[in-house]
Amino acid sequence: MEVEGLRTLDLTELQEARSFETQIANALHVVTDKATDPALRQFLADEIRETRAHADTVSTLIEGHGATPGLHVDQAMQAIVAETQKWFGTIADENVRDAALIAPAQRIQHYAIAV
């Protein structure tokens, strides 16, 4: 979509927000399966539900304007998620891996807040 004014700018930003929320939920699903600490697994499962709800809300807003929710893909979040999954896959010790999940999870959440 070409940005022709404030309306299309707003829709583009909403589409990117929907994109990163969806990417976050998918990435959290992958790492939740690999987390071993029960409290961490529960926290991540709760985050998945919350993030999917955010994505659904944003999709509803976009559709309300007659636009397609999945039109844009947030490339910055793609890079953050890819790097997190690559790095996460190199840690064999499950306790270290659980601890290592915290920093990328914070990075992802901070990016989402900033956007």
Side-chain angles (χ1 to χ4, degrees):
M1 171 187 309
E2 187 173 318
V3 177
E4 299 169 348
L6 291 177
R7 182 180 185 280
T8 54
L9 175 63
D10 186 45
L11 285 173
T12 300
E13 291 295 324
L14 286 171
Q15 288 165 329
E16 288 192 15
R18 184 226 164 252
S19 173
F20 72 69
E21 292 287 359
T22 301
Q23 290 180 56
I24 291 169
N26 293 340
L28 287 174
H29 181 71
V30 171
V31 298
T32 299
D33 290 342
K34 295 183 181 190
T36 56
D37 181 78
L40 179 59
R41 287 180 67 88
Q42 184 60 53
F43 171 78
L44 293 170
D46 292 344
E47 284 295 309
I48 292 169
R49 280 190 292 283
E50 184 177 320
T51 302
R52 289 202 192 285
H54 290 168
D56 290 344
T57 299
V58 175
S59 290
T60 300
L61 289 170
I62 295 167
E63 290 167 351
H65 289 284
T68 305
L71 192 59
H72 282 287
V73 175
D74 187 288
Q75 295 177 358
M77 185 55 71
Q78 269 185 328
I80 292 169
V81 168
E83 185 63 27
T84 299
Q85 289 176 338
K86 177 181 158 188
W87 179 68
F88 181 74
T90 66
I91 303 170
D93 183 291
E94 59 189 34
N95 293 321
V96 174
R97 190 173 52 237
D98 282 354
L101 283 173
I102 296 168
Q106 287 177 330
R107 187 176 303 116
I108 288 169
Q109 291 300 331
H110 289 173
Y111 177 77
I113 291 166
V115 173

PDB file of all heavy atoms in Angstrom, residues 48-61:
ATOM      1  N   ILE A  48       1.595 -15.658  25.238  1.00  0.00           N
ATOM      2  CA  ILE A  48       1.063 -16.066  23.925  1.00  0.00           C
ATOM      3  C   ILE A  48      -0.409 -15.677  23.823  1.00  0.00           C
ATOM      4  O   ILE A  48      -0.838 -15.086  22.827  1.00  0.00           O
ATOM      5  CB  ILE A  48       1.246 -17.580  23.692  1.00  0.00           C
ATOM      6  CG1 ILE A  48       2.723 -17.923  23.530  1.00  0.00           C
ATOM      7  CG2 ILE A  48       0.449 -18.036  22.468  1.00  0.00           C
ATOM      8  CD1 ILE A  48       3.015 -19.411  23.566  1.00  0.00           C
ATOM      9  N   ARG A  49      -1.181 -16.002  24.851  1.00  0.00           N
ATOM     10  CA  ARG A  49      -2.618 -15.659  24.836  1.00  0.00           C
ATOM     11  C   ARG A  49      -2.821 -14.150  24.718  1.00  0.00           C
ATOM     12  O   ARG A  49      -3.650 -13.674  23.941  1.00  0.00           O
ATOM     13  CB  ARG A  49      -3.308 -16.205  26.081  1.00  0.00           C
ATOM     14  CG  ARG A  49      -3.643 -17.684  25.987  1.00  0.00           C
ATOM     15  CD  ARG A  49      -4.536 -18.132  27.144  1.00  0.00           C
ATOM     16  NE  ARG A  49      -3.859 -18.113  28.435  1.00  0.00           N
ATOM     17  CZ  ARG A  49      -2.993 -19.044  28.845  1.00  0.00           C
ATOM     18  NH1 ARG A  49      -2.714 -20.066  28.070  1.00  0.00           N
ATOM     19  NH2 ARG A  49      -2.434 -18.963  30.025  1.00  0.00           N
ATOM     20  N   GLU A  50      -2.064 -13.387  25.491  1.00  0.00           N
ATOM     21  CA  GLU A  50      -2.193 -11.932  25.468  1.00  0.00           C
ATOM     22  C   GLU A  50      -1.787 -11.359  24.103  1.00  0.00           C
ATOM     23  O   GLU A  50      -2.461 -10.488  23.565  1.00  0.00           O
ATOM     24  CB  GLU A  50      -1.327 -11.324  26.575  1.00  0.00           C
ATOM     25  CG  GLU A  50      -1.460  -9.831  26.702  1.00  0.00           C
ATOM     26  CD  GLU A  50      -0.633  -9.281  27.854  1.00  0.00           C
ATOM     27  OE1 GLU A  50      -0.588  -9.915  28.914  1.00  0.00           O
ATOM     28  OE2 GLU A  50      -0.049  -8.208  27.660  1.00  0.00           O
ATOM     29  N   THR A  51      -0.718 -11.882  23.561  1.00  0.00           N
ATOM     30  CA  THR A  51      -0.225 -11.392  22.276  1.00  0.00           C
ATOM     31  C   THR A  51      -1.196 -11.730  21.150  1.00  0.00           C
ATOM     32  O   THR A  51      -1.454 -10.901  20.275  1.00  0.00           O
ATOM     33  CB  THR A  51       1.178 -11.973  21.994  1.00  0.00           C
ATOM     34  OG1 THR A  51       2.043 -11.594  23.072  1.00  0.00           O
ATOM     35  CG2 THR A  51       1.747 -11.446  20.703  1.00  0.00           C
ATOM     36  N   ARG A  52      -1.748 -12.928  21.167  1.00  0.00           N
ATOM     37  CA  ARG A  52      -2.748 -13.293  20.147  1.00  0.00           C
ATOM     38  C   ARG A  52      -3.991 -12.404  20.259  1.00  0.00           C
ATOM     39  O   ARG A  52      -4.575 -12.016  19.254  1.00  0.00           O
ATOM     40  CB  ARG A  52      -3.118 -14.761  20.258  1.00  0.00           C
ATOM     41  CG  ARG A  52      -2.007 -15.689  19.810  1.00  0.00           C
ATOM     42  CD  ARG A  52      -2.523 -17.065  19.424  1.00  0.00           C
ATOM     43  NE  ARG A  52      -1.451 -18.024  19.270  1.00  0.00           N
ATOM     44  CZ  ARG A  52      -0.607 -18.079  18.244  1.00  0.00           C
ATOM     45  NH1 ARG A  52      -0.699 -17.210  17.281  1.00  0.00           N
ATOM     46  NH2 ARG A  52       0.326 -19.014  18.192  1.00  0.00           N
ATOM     47  N   ALA A  53      -4.375 -12.060  21.476  1.00  0.00           N
ATOM     48  CA  ALA A  53      -5.516 -11.157  21.672  1.00  0.00           C
ATOM     49  C   ALA A  53      -5.204  -9.779  21.098  1.00  0.00           C
ATOM     50  O   ALA A  53      -6.069  -9.156  20.460  1.00  0.00           O
ATOM     51  CB  ALA A  53      -5.868 -11.060  23.157  1.00  0.00           C
ATOM     52  N   HIS A  54      -3.970  -9.304  21.291  1.00  0.00           N
ATOM     53  CA  HIS A  54      -3.570  -8.018  20.698  1.00  0.00           C
ATOM     54  C   HIS A  54      -3.658  -8.087  19.178  1.00  0.00           C
ATOM     55  O   HIS A  54      -4.181  -7.164  18.538  1.00  0.00           O
ATOM     56  CB  HIS A  54      -2.143  -7.658  21.096  1.00  0.00           C
ATOM     57  CG  HIS A  54      -1.974  -7.306  22.528  1.00  0.00           C
ATOM     58  ND1 HIS A  54      -0.745  -7.195  23.111  1.00  0.00           N
ATOM     59  CD2 HIS A  54      -2.857  -7.032  23.510  1.00  0.00           C
ATOM     60  CE1 HIS A  54      -0.876  -6.879  24.376  1.00  0.00           C
ATOM     61  NE2 HIS A  54      -2.153  -6.787  24.647  1.00  0.00           N
ATOM     62  N   ALA A  55      -3.137  -9.165  18.604  1.00  0.00           N
ATOM     63  CA  ALA A  55      -3.168  -9.322  17.142  1.00  0.00           C
ATOM     64  C   ALA A  55      -4.603  -9.339  16.631  1.00  0.00           C
ATOM     65  O   ALA A  55      -4.922  -8.720  15.602  1.00  0.00           O
ATOM     66  CB  ALA A  55      -2.421 -10.584  16.717  1.00  0.00           C
ATOM     67  N   ASP A  56      -5.489 -10.028  17.341  1.00  0.00           N
ATOM     68  CA  ASP A  56      -6.898 -10.083  16.941  1.00  0.00           C
ATOM     69  C   ASP A  56      -7.547  -8.700  17.013  1.00  0.00           C
ATOM     70  O   ASP A  56      -8.321  -8.321  16.129  1.00  0.00           O
ATOM     71  CB  ASP A  56      -7.676 -11.063  17.818  1.00  0.00           C
ATOM     72  CG  ASP A  56      -7.293 -12.520  17.565  1.00  0.00           C
ATOM     73  OD1 ASP A  56      -6.658 -12.805  16.527  1.00  0.00           O
ATOM     74  OD2 ASP A  56      -7.627 -13.362  18.420  1.00  0.00           O
ATOM     75  N   THR A  57      -7.246  -7.952  18.061  1.00  0.00           N
ATOM     76  CA  THR A  57      -7.803  -6.606  18.208  1.00  0.00           C
ATOM     77  C   THR A  57      -7.339  -5.699  17.071  1.00  0.00           C
ATOM     78  O   THR A  57      -8.143  -4.977  16.468  1.00  0.00           O
ATOM     79  CB  THR A  57      -7.387  -5.993  19.566  1.00  0.00           C
ATOM     80  OG1 THR A  57      -7.898  -6.819  20.613  1.00  0.00           O
ATOM     81  CG2 THR A  57      -7.892  -4.577  19.720  1.00  0.00           C
ATOM     82  N   VAL A  58      -6.056  -5.757  16.765  1.00  0.00           N
ATOM     83  CA  VAL A  58      -5.522  -4.927  15.683  1.00  0.00           C
ATOM     84  C   VAL A  58      -6.116  -5.362  14.342  1.00  0.00           C
ATOM     85  O   VAL A  58      -6.469  -4.516  13.506  1.00  0.00           O
ATOM     86  CB  VAL A  58      -3.972  -4.958  15.665  1.00  0.00           C
ATOM     87  CG1 VAL A  58      -3.424  -4.204  14.477  1.00  0.00           C
ATOM     88  CG2 VAL A  58      -3.418  -4.377  16.960  1.00  0.00           C
ATOM     89  N   SER A  59      -6.269  -6.660  14.124  1.00  0.00           N
ATOM     90  CA  SER A  59      -6.881  -7.150  12.888  1.00  0.00           C
ATOM     91  C   SER A  59      -8.302  -6.614  12.735  1.00  0.00           C
ATOM     92  O   SER A  59      -8.702  -6.202  11.641  1.00  0.00           O
ATOM     93  CB  SER A  59      -6.914  -8.682  12.864  1.00  0.00           C
ATOM     94  OG  SER A  59      -5.623  -9.205  12.718  1.00  0.00           O
ATOM     95  N   THR A  60      -9.043  -6.605  13.823  1.00  0.00           N
ATOM     96  CA  THR A  60     -10.414  -6.085  13.799  1.00  0.00           C
ATOM     97  C   THR A  60     -10.422  -4.601  13.428  1.00  0.00           C
ATOM     98  O   THR A  60     -11.261  -4.151  12.632  1.00  0.00           O
ATOM     99  CB  THR A  60     -11.098  -6.306  15.162  1.00  0.00           C
ATOM    100  OG1 THR A  60     -11.123  -7.708  15.438  1.00  0.00           O
ATOM    101  CG2 THR A  60     -12.511  -5.758  15.177  1.00  0.00           C
ATOM    102  N   LEU A  61      -9.496  -3.834  13.982  1.00  0.00           N
ATOM    103  CA  LEU A  61      -9.390  -2.414  13.642  1.00  0.00           C
ATOM    104  C   LEU A  61      -9.102  -2.227  12.151  1.00  0.00           C
ATOM    105  O   LEU A  61      -9.716  -1.385  11.494  1.00  0.00           O
ATOM    106  CB  LEU A  61      -8.284  -1.747  14.459  1.00  0.00           C
ATOM    107  CG  LEU A  61      -8.541  -1.543  15.937  1.00  0.00           C
ATOM    108  CD1 LEU A  61      -7.267  -1.096  16.644  1.00  0.00           C
ATOM    109  CD2 LEU A  61      -9.645  -0.518  16.140  1.00  0.00           C
TER     110      LEU A  61
END
